[in-house]
Amino acid sequence: MSKVDAPRHDAVPIGEVAQAPFAALPDPLELFVVRTTRLRSLAQGSELAPYLTFLAALTDAASLGLDLLVREKGYRRGAFNPFLLGY
């Protein structure tokens, strides 16, 4: 059943391959550092301070682990996806 005021759309081309838009992913090392800083600032004066401090420690450890991969394995910053490495 169609309504008179219903919006009209262009026909969908069947069988054509859609192109996904380009996505710029953040640098994982920088992302963890930003999260650590934010969690530590949120922990100050919060009732959730122990939990937020714990999360900050986790993100800090993740940042250090990725930094070790970059230094020891010779990966360039931003040139790899650490989640595909299998570590």
Side-chain angles (χ1 to χ4, degrees), residues 32 35-37 39-40 51-61:
F32 283 123
R35 284 183 182 165
T36 301
T37 304
L39 287 166
R40 285 189 179 136
Y51 179 66
L52 294 171
T53 303
F54 170 70
L55 291 178
L58 283 178
T59 57
D60 193 33

Side-chain angles (χ1 to χ4, degrees), residues 11-28:
V12 177
I14 297 174
E16 292 184 18
V17 178
Q19 293 288 359
F22 177 75
L25 300 176
D27 181 13

Side-chain angles (χ1 to χ4, degrees), residues 7-77:
R8 300 213 177 249
H9 301 284
D10 294 333
V12 177
I14 297 174
E16 292 184 18
V17 178
Q19 293 288 359
F22 177 75
L25 300 176
D27 181 13
L29 293 171
E30 184 178 328
L31 184 66
F32 283 123
V33 170
V34 169
R35 284 183 182 165
T36 301
T37 304
R38 183 165 185 258
L39 287 166
R40 285 189 179 136
S41 69
L42 289 172
Q44 295 174 358
S46 172
E47 292 180 8
L48 297 174
Y51 179 66
L52 294 171
T53 303
F54 170 70
L55 291 178
L58 283 178
T59 57
D60 193 33
S63 174
L64 293 174
L66 288 177
D67 193 40
L68 280 173
L69 277 177
V70 170
R71 283 189 281 131
E72 290 183 5
K73 300 289 185 177
Y75 296 113
R76 290 180 292 121
R77 271 184 91 142

